[in-house]
DNA sequence: GGATGTGAATGCATTCACAGCA
DNA sequence: TGCTGTGAATGCATTCACATCC
């Protein structure tokens, strides 16, 4: 049973890093891993790794470490990726098409089951095994496949409208790549990735380290 | 003059959101914005907005709010986007090509000045105004253009090697899209975006809200 | 010896609440 | 009155340090 204290949001983010690292270690044939070694691989402290994992149970072995196979199984169970998730994608522009083809999603248990776009010119074009569908078919596809997750790759001025359509279609989680703030009902979870902001943050950090950026 | 206290890392991230929102308000012709209204637009509290901005100076007006034009100018100055940054991109796969064409970078002051790939088949192919170059030309291009920032879109097993090459070429900041942890010297800043992890976090949150995910 | 799991202590970020100004 | 800027208070996350176990 988990501890009765609140789980830090940042801890859950690190679980994904532990899973990624553990998977790589498994592929290399490593059987056990200690908190200190895992921490070093990720640039964290050993205590943090142990505390993060202990929020969710006790699956380490004193004197030994964590069995990589067990660690992976537990992390997948906690994160909910011990199953396949069907995902729909809205916006078949450059980014949308690249994400539709992204192998990393499949590998982590996410399968794109539908791609949608408003532009008639894009509808019908093929992307791997899927063809771009018109927005009108979104609700049908969500209902038929039971998808709970949508990825949004639409222009920022259309993002809110498309998010509303997705929610109306039964979507419960949105990964938003549009540089815009979304408002969603409380039963829907939303997560935004603003690519330009990531560069902006680097720009800020460059200023900090070398006070003279010049040109 | 900034306050003598440490600036929370999360505050800097929010500055980018304030800039994004202020830019949108400016396009709508809004002249001033209060902390409470800005907070509401972003799902934050008014005190947080004020404190974040106050870390970097006093550019608000009691009884009025913040002049949108001034706010944008100050935020750009703080974030370092009051100038153009030249950026190189390594990895001309699906994601790399999509990012090379991404308009959002240009809009925020980032210009891709070189695209590189190891695959001979990709070298020479055109992407907008640029042609994919071989890795051997990376150092030359970085030196010639004075680029400080690199975007990495390479397979995870090549990420560390490519990061090392970029650092050796003079790069000071890396935006990494490969699902792998990078080790970089202390004078280099690194920022990773793992797309699959973002979906994983949604999966976790879905489990939390509705304890029965079923299929 | 070597490692985990965890209360206690520390440090950091957010929120409160109000003085001060337009 | 309306709003900013900010010390003080609160709340949250990380680190410490050690009992415990293989």
């Amino acid at each position: 049973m988990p501890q009765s204290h609140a789980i830090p949001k940042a801890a859950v983010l690190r679980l994904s890093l532990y899973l990624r690292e553990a998977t790589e270690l498994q592929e290399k044939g490593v059987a056990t891993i200690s908190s200190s070694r895992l921490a070093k691989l990720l640039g964290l402290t050993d205590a943090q790794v142990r505390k993060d994992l202990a929020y969710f149970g006790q699956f380490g072995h004193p004197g030994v470490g964590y069995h990589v196979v067990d660690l992976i199984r537990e992390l997948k169970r906690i994160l909910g990726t011990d199953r396949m998730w069907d995902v729909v994608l809205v916006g078949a522009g450059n980014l949308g098409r690249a994400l539709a083809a992204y192998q990393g999603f499949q590998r982590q248990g996410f399968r794109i089951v539908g791609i949608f776009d408003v532009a008639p010119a894009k509808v019908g074009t093929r992307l791997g095994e899927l063809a771009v569908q018109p927005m009108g078919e979104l609700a049908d596809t969500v209902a038929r496949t039971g998808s709970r997750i949508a990825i949004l790759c639409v222009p920022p001025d259309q993002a809110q409208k498309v998010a509303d359509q997705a929610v109306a279609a039964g979507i419960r989680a949105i990964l938003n790549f549009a540089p815009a703030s979304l408002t969603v009902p409380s039963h829907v979870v939303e997560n935004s990735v603003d690519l330009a902001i990531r560069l902006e943050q680097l720009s800020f950090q460059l200023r900090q380290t070398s006070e003279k950026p010049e040109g």
Side-chain angles (χ1 to χ4, degrees), chain A:
Chain A
M1 205 58 185
Q3 296 175 205
S4 54
H5 285 319
I7 294 159
K9 199 182 154 249
V12 182
L13 204 62
R14 286 190 295 269
L15 291 191
S16 284
L17 298 177
Y18 304 152
L19 174 55
R20 195 178 74 187
E21 214 62 46
T23 304
E24 195 187 327
L25 289 167
Q26 189 185 37
E27 285 166 5
K28 286 183 183 167
V30 177
T32 64
I33 178 82
S34 67
S35 59
S36 57
R37 195 163 149 228
L38 190 50
K40 186 168 271 182
L41 285 169
L42 291 164
L44 305 170
T45 69
D46 56 342
Q48 180 148 70
V49 171
R50 290 198 300 278
K51 183 138 280 202
D52 286 346
L53 295 174
Y55 282 123
F56 300 93
Q58 311 190 164
F59 27 89
H61 302 276
V64 178
Y66 301 85
H67 290 308
V68 172
V69 173
D70 295 352
L71 185 57
I72 291 172
R73 190 187 57 245
E74 292 298 320
L75 288 172
K76 284 190 175 179
R77 182 182 57 74
I78 295 162
L79 290 168
T81 53
D82 51 351
R83 73 208 267 311
M84 263 284 169
W85 289 93
D86 288 346
V87 178
V88 294
L89 191 152
V90 184
N94 282 322
L95 187 60
R97 291 199 306 273
L99 293 180
Y102 186 57
Q103 295 302 310
F105 290 152
Q106 184 85 15
R107 203 158 41 230
Q108 298 296 332
F110 300 95
R111 176 174 45 200
I112 311 277
V113 297
I115 306 170
F116 301 85
D117 203 295
V118 281
K122 282 180 185 149
V123 171
T125 59
R126 295 203 70 82
L127 269 165
E129 306 196 332
L130 295 171
V132 177
Q133 300 172 248
M135 285 300 288
E137 294 179 9
L138 177 64
D140 276 356
T141 302
V142 170
R144 179 173 51 79
T145 60
S147 303
R148 297 271 162 78
I149 303 176
I151 300 176
L152 261 53
C153 306
V154 300
D157 57 321
Q158 292 181 35
Q160 184 62 57
K161 184 182 157 196
V162 171
D164 293 344
Q165 289 176 289
V167 170
I171 286 297
R172 301 287 290 273
I174 294 175
L175 180 54
N176 170 42
F177 285 89
S181 300
L182 299 183
T183 304
V184 295
S186 61
H187 70 281
V188 177
V189 293
E190 188 254 326
N191 209 321
S192 282
V193 180
D194 186 321
L195 300 170
I197 280 181
R198 306 304 293 246
L199 281 186
E200 244 173 37
Q201 296 290 306
L202 285 181
S203 158
F204 175 82
Q205 289 179 74
L206 279 178
R207 281 245 163 133
Q208 298 307 106
T209 54
S210 58
E211 277 298 9
K212 278 255 170 55
E214 62 219 358

